Amino acid sequence: MGSRREVPLPTDVSIITTYRCQMRCKMCNIWKYPTEESKEIKPDVLEKLPSLKFINVTGGEPFQRRDIEDIIKVLFTKAPRVVISTSGWHYDRIIKLAEKYPKIGIRVSIEGLSQRNDELRGRIGGFDSGLKVLLKLRSMGIKDIGFGITVSNYNSNDMLWLYRLAREMKLEFATATFHNSFYFHKEDNKITNKDIVIQDFEMLINNLLQENNPKSWARAFFNLGLINYIRGQKRMLPCEAGLANFFIEPYGDVYPCNGLEDGIWKESMGNINEYQTFEELWYSEQAQKVRDMVRICPKNCWMVGTAAPVMKKYIKHPASWMIKNKLNSLLGKQVCIDKIPYYYVGQDVLQGDLNYSRMEPYTDTKGVKPDPGLPLIDE
């Protein structure tokens, strides 16, 4: 990934504003490891960020930050689109912020219908609070709103009901699935009832392809990647975390993604508090070392933060799949998930190799194509 000239400035960032959270989610233990409020990254530090296209504000619970409005004020000077991921618990704070910043995006995390959501998120009334927030935002005319679900062993059928609810309410609907990472403090997030969950994702994909909206077809492709991830196969497209996107954690450390694990590898690109400019950090030797490690990362995470940038960069592959499967949908055919394609675009063959454990930078295999036994689609 070479010299400064070869590495562009990023377009996307996710800012983990705090690890404090009032929820008690079963798939995430952030709440057990809260950050110290006085040490969390300050709004003025975020003024170092370059011009970006998209900023996601997440946590923990971002609305635990008493200075959330100050953070959003800075971020809207850095990107035209800012979206906050929230539990929806802090109704008054969310509505107050939306009144001040009507272009804000809000994504409420909902893990199922009322009973299942409250069970998985550990707080009675969580579903009602989240739904009430979305209904109020809709009545205010806030356009960039919706909810997302983290699919696990317990809620894949509820995902389909939430999708229908989102369509009826004309809301955005995002999906994710179990992952382990330092961020979640979890090592046992693993889907065991794979056949059932995959069947539900397959149904969701077919429903998305029936819509008359290219954005929904792109989501169908993304959900195909989730099926691929659940099966333990290599990502359809490479991970290029630390290039187009990055994460900032509450104390200022910059990471390529939020899927790193202490037991596999975890290394910071640098701490933004310690640099005069973001560019100094981004083009540092340490940042380049981390990019080299990403190139051979053995994990196969498929999260929107790292999947969306490469779907856009290598758009001809998702677009080809979308057109083909949309036409099949019009003919009444179901999507084929038996052979999920692997698109070779020059990535290192060691990326996604779970049997490969050496995490020092490695260069000898660059450009070598993977095993032809994979359903390979060459660029």
Side-chain angles (χ1 to χ4, degrees), residues 68-86:
I68 188 66
E69 289 189 17
D70 297 329
I71 291 172
I72 298 304
K73 180 181 179 180
V74 172
L75 297 184
F76 265 123
T77 69
K78 299 299 179 179
R81 185 165 179 244
V82 180
V83 175
I84 304 181
S85 300
T86 174

Side-chain angles (χ1 to χ4, degrees), residues 253-272:
D253 275 312
V254 172
Y255 290 101
C257 71
N258 67 335
L260 304 180
E261 293 183 66
D262 290 314
I264 298 177
W265 77 282
K266 176 194 170 193
E267 191 150 350
S268 168
M269 302 172 81
N271 191 296
I272 194 169

Side-chain angles (χ1 to χ4, degrees), residues 53 97 262 351:
K53 293 181 179 179
L97 183 75
D262 290 314
Q351 188 179 87

Side-chain angles (χ1 to χ4, degrees), residues 297-317:
C297 178
K299 296 192 69 177
N300 279 303
C301 311
W302 187 257
M303 304 186 211
V304 69
T306 55
V310 291
M311 285 174 60
K312 294 173 185 174
K313 180 176 179 179
Y314 304 108
I315 186 61
K316 74 174 187 179
H317 297 306

Side-chain angles (χ1 to χ4, degrees), residues 215-277:
K215 193 172 182 179
S216 296
W217 311 340
R219 287 189 176 127
F221 181 88
F222 174 78
N223 281 285
L224 185 73
L226 290 178
I227 291 177
N228 192 55
Y229 168 76
I230 292 167
R231 287 175 172 167
Q233 297 173 341
K234 285 194 174 188
R235 290 170 56 117
M236 295 188 291
L237 290 166
C239 178
E240 296 185 355
L243 283 173
N245 69 283
F246 65 102
F247 277 73
I248 303 179
E249 63 89 55
Y251 294 145
D253 275 312
V254 172
Y255 290 101
C257 71
N258 67 335
L260 304 180
E261 293 183 66
D262 290 314
I264 298 177
W265 77 282
K266 176 194 170 193
E267 191 150 350
S268 168
M269 302 172 81
N271 191 296
I272 194 169
N273 291 300
E274 299 170 1
Y275 288 83
Q276 292 295 315
T277 68

